[in-house]
Amino acid sequence: MSLRHDGEVTITDTRLRVVGPLTLAAAALVANLLAMSLLRAAAPYLELRDLLSMPVTGLAYGAAAGFLASGVRPTKVWALLTVSLGLAAPALSLGLAQDSWSWVALGSLGSFVVPAVGWICLSTLRGAEPGAEERRLILAAATVTSLIAVIRTATLDPAAFGWCQCVDNPLAVTGDADIYLAIEPWLTVGHLAAVAMVLLAVAVGAWHRPGRRAVHEYVLVTGSAVAIGGWVFADGALLAGAPTLTADPVVAAGLVAVLGVHVTGSVRRRPSRAHVADLLLAARERSTPGRLRELVARAVGDPSATVYWWDPSTQTYVDHLGRESDADVANALESHVLEVESEQRPIARVVTERVLVRDAGILQPVAEALRLSRENERLQAELAESLLQVRESRSRIVRASDDARRRIERDLHDGAQQLLISTGAKLNLATTRVDATRDPELAETLADASDELGRALEELRALARGITPTALVHGSLPDALEDLALRCPVPSRLHVEGGGKVNPEVAATAYFVVAECLVNVAKHAQASSAWVRVVLGDPLRVAVRDDGAGGADFKRGSGLRGLIDRVAAQGGSLDVVTSTGGTTVSATFPNGST
Amino acid sequence: MTADHPRVLLADDAVLVREGVAQLLRVGGCEVLATFDDSDGVSAALASYDPVDVLVLDIRMPPTHTDEGLALLEGLRAAGVTAGVLLLSMYASPTLALRALSAGGATGYLLKDRIRDGGTLVDAVRTIARGGTVVDPEVVALLLQASASTSRLDELSTREKEVLSLMAEGRSNTGIAKHLHLAVKTVDSHVDHLMTKMGLESSADEHRRVLAVLELLRARET
């Protein structure tokens, strides 16, 4: 289903669209008035009733076209104009019969009334353009009608045939009445075929229209059938050389009925379509169910309309106040319920008190808006859910890596480090038992071994410090940060504010942030001093400032980048401000007690 | 008790280290009264082995493997126990050293690495038994390096800082003189000067030395 309706929803180029139809409407009005006066002068013997019915109906169509075209949203009024001019044509033609060469050609235009009325009827039924099948039928009928008009203009010359005291038709290629009389039955057949196609199109359109039929729709279909049938009859009579206008009042009545239903339908639909646009916007912007209900009610023109949303978990429809729809729907007639589905799955249902306007231009967008809204909601929920999952999994990864680091450090401490230390003790004991003067070589070897052991222990200690904040093993976060500041080659001072417990994971992260920052200060900042500030509490904040050259950049592969994940896993944030006066890195963490 | 044969209780959860330390202490002339693999039994043993000169405690012991040794020290000091305590640690942490020394006199903080250095361990135990204070040289070096721009230590000359750091390691003036190849009298005068500069004049000698070391440790505090 498409939401676009050929520019009727857009407001651009409105003026251009309005001016053309308005001009033509004015021309149609003039043509009908002219036809009236000409016919009156040419045929004073005619009854006023017969004389006026067609031009007056033409005037009504022209006026309606002008009225609809000048509305807020230009409507397609070409069919109305065609009818209007088509109605004026025979009257004009007859009026001009004794004075103008163009009367036969003008009169031929009258045939276009048939497809035009069919088009009006179909677009009224659907509330939008006729469907593809119907459109093809109408276009075929219009083509046949055009051919008939051309052939008739080229072959009919009543003056030459001696049928009347009238002006010659210079467009006729022959003055031979026999040729025309030979063609005429075929023209009638073509005419009947066009009529059949239009009536078939109207029937198809009426059949395809969903929902129950309303009175005005019967009026519409009947009116167009009468108008089309009557027109054929009258046209046939005219062609047969018997210019009787007795069928005209009937035709006029059918035409007026069609016009009436069409105009009221357009007028009633117009404000609702504006509301449909509001509804679509609201659906896109994730409005509350209450607000959507309000807009749906306005769009379908029933203030008491209720929107029930399908709840897959309970398999029920629930409205914006949480009420279930069952009783309401059971009592409602089919004509009061709009079911909205997406790929066979229920989405929502709209239940009204008044009969729903069976207008595809409204109900389809309303359904689409409800679908869109639900789809939006679902996508947002999915997004939120997957974001949560990502955050949790990141948290898990960081926690698992921290656990692993702690285990490694503990293994080092309990294993290799203790072994090396006890080895050191044994070496030491051995050294005391060696007489250095008697066996200097052995003494030296032992001393070397002890030195190497010392280096090994130092390296192990540095390694353990890098794996996990060993200072946090036995000290508080400020103590650990103090040790860090002490180890920094750039003179660094620690400033502590606040107090209270620190979540161990937060402490480890804060420690890593400060450690990384101090490493950066020592490596890159060309600073003479650095300051570490920690504010204990919830949230916990740490900041490292230096007076160096600035230019710290997250993106240039600094170790800080690796910390972003770790900080984010704690739900914290990392912020870098750098200038020629130095760099400040600050991190904030929620410090919930665990 | 005699200064030559300090009576020692030892607690360390790593059996190899515990035995190594005990053996070194015995060889060095200490009397190792009992050894423990955690901090629990130590308080009770203090009474049963009275008098005890020095407790040698691993900082990180069961059950939490964090700061049990330090907590025991603080608990003993709070209970009025004046016996010396030497804490053995795997890490050179100035803040831990400060915490240890803040608990009171006759306290030391030594890296376990020192166990392989000749008589360092035994010397430290003897110093503490005498009521002295010992801070691991690596910790002292960290403090001196970092405190270059802070506190009253600014006023000290390089030589005086050198002397102060050796003091912190628990050496006597004679020991410092030997280490720096100076006359004992020269060291005496350096010590007097640095004490004056640090505002530590009118106390008994050993206590003054403890205060000087604490000052060194606290230089970072503000």
Side-chain angles (χ1 to χ4, degrees):
Chain A
M1 168 186 137
S2 162
L3 280 181
R4 285 180 37 203
H5 283 280
D6 300 316
E8 288 190 0
V9 183
T10 60
I11 310 173
T12 49
D13 294 334
T14 306
R15 270 186 208 163
L16 216 70
R17 278 162 202 272
V18 175
V19 172
L22 274 181
T23 317
L24 274 172
L29 290 176
V30 170
N32 278 290
L33 288 170
L34 198 65
M36 232 186 288
S37 64
L38 280 177
L39 191 60
R40 178 111 186 94
Y45 48 87
L46 283 177
E47 294 256 343
L48 205 59
R49 184 194 60 194
D50 296 333
L51 190 74
L52 293 182
S53 56
M54 279 302 148
V56 166
T57 310
L59 274 175
Y61 268 78
F67 167 68
L68 292 181
S70 65
V72 183
R73 286 160 203 281
T75 318
K76 286 202 182 309
V77 294
W78 304 107
L80 287 174
L81 287 169
T82 309
V83 172
S84 177
L85 289 171
L87 291 177
L92 265 176
S93 161
L94 287 178
L96 290 170
Q98 279 139 27
D99 302 327
S100 170
W101 58 269
S102 64
W103 71 277
V104 176
L106 263 179
S108 302
L109 292 179
S111 324
F112 286 104
V113 168
V114 173
V117 168
W119 187 277
I120 293 169
C121 180
L122 283 169
S123 69
T124 312
L125 272 176
R126 279 181 58 104
E129 300 259 314
E133 282 171 37
E134 296 95 305
R135 197 156 48 204
R136 270 197 289 276
L137 281 168
I138 298 276
L139 283 178
T143 310
V144 171
T145 314
S146 311
L147 275 173
I148 292 171
V150 170
I151 292 169
R152 189 190 279 171
T153 307
T155 55
L156 180 62
D157 191 351
F161 300 164
W163 289 353
C164 70
Q165 303 279 308
C166 44
V167 177
D168 275 346
N169 175 14
L171 297 174
V173 289
T174 167
D176 188 345
D178 292 341
I179 297 181
Y180 177 74
L181 288 173
I183 293 172
E184 198 184 14
W186 294 107
L187 291 183
T188 308
V189 168
H191 224 131
L192 287 173
V195 167
M197 282 189 273
V198 171
L199 287 176
L200 179 63
V202 169
V204 168
W207 181 259
H208 279 181
R209 234 280 287 108
R212 284 153 54 102
R213 309 282 178 271
V215 174
H216 64 92
E217 288 170 349
Y218 289 115
V219 172
L220 183 71
V221 174
T222 316
S224 32
V226 166
I228 293 164
W231 183 263
V232 169
F233 178 76
D235 199 40
L238 193 69
L239 286 171
T244 168
L245 298 173
T246 48
D248 282 6
V250 179
V251 175
L255 286 174
V256 168
V258 170
L259 182 66
V261 175
H262 181 74
V263 171
T264 51
S266 298
V267 168
R268 193 179 41 192
R269 193 162 55 235
R270 198 184 292 155
S272 305
R273 286 201 171 174
H275 294 138
V276 166
D278 291 345
L279 174 63
L280 282 168
L281 282 177
R284 204 187 58 188
E285 285 161 9
R286 254 191 117 200
S287 305
T288 60
R291 171 78 180 142
L292 285 174
R293 188 214 70 82
E294 207 175 286
L295 290 170
V296 167
R298 235 187 272 165
V300 300
D302 181 354
S304 62
T306 313
V307 180
Y308 293 96
W309 296 96
W310 177 250
D311 183 348
S313 58
T314 59
Q315 298 281 308
T316 51
Y317 283 98
V318 178
D319 76 355
H320 65 288
L321 298 173
R323 293 175 301 208
E324 291 194 6
S325 74
D326 299 347
D328 217 354
V329 172
N331 294 333
L333 296 169
E334 189 198 343
S335 59
H336 297 252
V337 180
L338 170 68
E339 300 277 2
V340 183
E341 294 180 341
S342 174
E343 291 160 9
Q344 314 277 308
R345 283 178 299 119
I347 296 282
R349 71 167 42 132
V350 180
V351 180
T352 55
E353 275 184 11
R354 294 185 197 165
V355 174
L356 271 171
V357 184
R358 288 294 165 184
D359 179 346
I362 290 172
L363 293 189
Q364 286 187 7
V366 165
E368 194 57 30
L370 297 180
R371 244 174 250 138
L372 184 67
S373 159
R374 178 42 63 92
E375 200 68 2
N376 260 353
E377 225 169 76
R378 195 176 58 79
L379 286 175
Q380 300 262 13
E382 276 178 13
L383 188 65
E385 171 71 11
S386 47
L387 270 179
L388 190 72
Q389 278 175 3
V390 166
R391 199 170 300 149
E392 277 175 357
S393 98
R394 190 160 56 178
S395 235
R396 274 198 302 277
I397 290 168
V398 167
R399 212 172 303 139
S401 116
D402 277 1
D403 285 349
R405 283 158 175 268
R406 262 194 292 276
R407 265 199 310 280
I408 294 171
E409 193 274 339
R410 182 77 185 276
D411 289 350
L412 273 182
H413 178 271
D414 294 347
Q417 281 177 314
Q418 306 286 7
L419 266 177
L420 287 180
I421 282 165
S422 71
T423 309
K426 291 195 177 99
L427 272 178
N428 193 351
L429 283 170
T431 309
T432 58
R433 283 174 197 161
V434 169
D435 189 340
T437 51
R438 280 179 55 190
D439 197 345
E441 253 179 59
L442 179 59
E444 203 177 318
T445 307
L446 283 175
D448 283 353
S450 177
D451 282 350
E452 277 164 27
L453 194 67
R455 279 206 298 283
L457 275 168
E458 245 166 69
E459 277 177 26
L460 263 187
R461 260 191 287 144
L463 181 65
R465 237 194 348 261
I467 290 171
T468 197
T470 48
L472 280 172
V473 170
H474 9 240
S476 65
L477 177 63
D479 283 354
L481 295 182
E482 173 75 42
D483 283 356
L484 266 183
L486 282 170
R487 286 178 188 281
C488 182
V490 175
S492 312
R493 303 198 57 174
L494 175 73
H495 182 69
V496 183
E497 285 173 39
K501 281 193 172 174
V502 182
N503 174 335
E505 282 169 27
V506 171
T509 308
Y511 179 93
F512 278 126
V513 169
V514 173
E516 183 59 41
C517 289
L518 288 177
V519 167
N520 285 343
V521 167
K523 268 197 205 158
H524 311 296
Q526 302 160 328
S528 61
S529 313
W531 294 265
V532 180
R533 182 163 170 264
V534 54
V535 184
L536 301 170
D538 188 9
L540 182 124
R541 288 179 221 278
V542 288
V544 179
R545 180 165 65 86
D546 67 60
D547 59 357
D553 188 357
F554 266 123
K555 283 149 201 126
R556 275 207 322 246
S558 125
L560 272 179
R561 234 201 123 139
L563 283 174
I564 293 176
D565 263 4
R566 178 175 278 281
V567 170
Q570 300 291 342
S573 63
L574 201 60
D575 192 29
V576 179
V577 179
T578 184
S579 71
T580 50
T583 301
T584 304
V585 178
S586 43
T588 306
F589 311 91
N591 180 24
S593 48
T594 49
Chain B
M1 153 215 163
T2 65
D4 292 338
H5 301 285
R7 290 161 64 81
V8 177
L9 291 178
L10 170 62
D12 192 317
D13 60 318
V15 60
L16 285 175
V17 174
R18 191 167 69 231
E19 279 170 7
V21 168
Q23 216 170 338
L24 275 177
L25 289 172
R26 284 198 193 99
V27 169
C30 301
E31 196 177 336
V32 179
L33 305 168
T35 62
F36 305 87
D37 59 4
D38 59 24
S39 60
D40 288 348
V42 178
S43 301
L46 261 179
S48 51
Y49 289 102
D50 189 65
V52 173
D53 296 317
V54 178
L55 300 167
V56 177
L57 305 175
D58 182 13
I59 284 196
R60 197 172 164 181
M61 280 189 290
T64 66
H65 295 276
T66 55
D67 59 354
E68 278 76 7
L70 200 45
L72 176 60
L73 162 65
E74 284 163 348
L76 290 175
R77 290 289 185 259
V81 175
T82 54
V85 174
L86 174 61
L87 291 169
L88 294 181
S89 171
M90 199 67 91
Y91 304 109
S93 164
T95 51
L96 279 183
L98 175 63
R99 213 178 123 192
L101 266 63
S102 300
T107 312
Y109 181 93
L110 214 55
L111 278 187
K112 285 190 177 177
D113 288 27
R114 304 300 157 226
I115 292 170
R116 63 179 182 85
D117 284 347
T120 309
L121 176 69
V122 177
D123 289 348
V125 169
R126 287 183 200 286
T127 305
I128 291 165
R130 278 198 314 269
T133 305
V134 176
V135 181
D136 192 89
E138 197 173 317
V139 176
V140 173
L142 271 176
L143 287 167
L144 280 177
Q145 163 210 313
S147 62
S149 62
T150 54
S151 86
R152 275 181 277 187
L153 297 181
D154 292 353
E155 298 165 26
L156 302 188
S157 69
T158 317
R159 183 60 97 185
E160 283 162 353
K161 279 186 189 166
E162 224 172 338
V163 171
L164 175 60
S165 61
L166 289 170
M167 256 171 65
E169 286 168 24
R171 291 179 204 254
S172 64
N173 285 11
T174 320
I176 295 170
K178 218 161 100 188
H179 190 264
L180 293 176
H181 307 293
L182 293 171
V184 177
K185 274 194 169 182
T186 320
V187 173
D188 284 346
S189 94
H190 280 314
V191 169
D192 276 348
H193 274 130
L194 75 91
M195 292 285 187
T196 314
K197 282 182 183 172
M198 293 171 75
L200 302 169
E201 279 178 279
S202 56
S203 324
D205 191 51
E206 198 56 61
H207 188 50
R208 280 210 303 173
R209 296 175 84 90
V210 174
L211 290 177
V213 171
L214 272 178
E215 183 68 26
L216 172 65
L217 290 170
R218 283 203 179 113
R220 295 284 312 166
E221 278 286 89
T222 47

